[in-house]
Amino acid sequence: MQKPIITPDEFVDEINRRLPEHDCYSPGLQMFLVPRNGVANDAIGIDWEPRNASNGVIAISEVHNQVAGEFTVSKHLGRRH
């Protein structure tokens, strides 16, 4: 079965929606897109805050992999040309 296709923004939103359910979640932990030249559609990666969140890397990584297994991300969806 083919995975649903979502935008990078939707991918990040889904991760942030699921993060509080993770055992390693710390209040305030969230993932975000790193925009290129201030344009989210040209994101060059992802990051998270707060950087000092205990086990934040584990939570982000595991939820990221879970969401990536369920969805295909298309950076071309929702772009304005």
Side-chain angles (χ1 to χ4, degrees), residues 7 14 20 23 28 34 36 38 41 44-48 51 56 59 63 68-69 71 73:
T7 66
E14 184 63 21
D23 294 344
V34 178
R36 177 181 293 158
N41 285 340
I44 57 174
I46 55 174
D47 208 343
W48 64 91
R51 299 294 267 155
V63 174
F71 297 96
V73 180

Side-chain angles (χ1 to χ4, degrees), residues 17-79:
R17 185 185 71 74
R18 295 182 189 195
L19 271 175
E21 300 167 5
H22 195 280
D23 294 344
C24 294
Y25 175 77
S26 298
L29 180 65
Q30 66 177 341
M31 191 173 110
F32 56 91
L33 292 173
V34 178
R36 177 181 293 158
N37 299 325
V39 180
N41 285 340
D42 291 332
I44 57 174
I46 55 174
D47 208 343
W48 64 91
E49 60 181 24
R51 299 294 267 155
N52 62 351
S54 177
N55 295 322
V57 175
I58 294 170
I60 292 286
S61 177
E62 290 181 358
V63 174
H64 177 282
N65 290 339
Q66 180 186 49
V67 175
E70 294 177 25
F71 297 96
T72 298
V73 180
S74 172
K75 65 180 184 175
H76 302 291
L77 284 180
R79 282 196 168 186

Side-chain angles (χ1 to χ4, degrees), residues 6-14 33 40-41 73:
I6 60 176
T7 66
D9 287 332
E10 291 170 325
F11 182 75
V12 170
D13 288 346
E14 184 63 21
L33 292 173
N41 285 340
V73 180

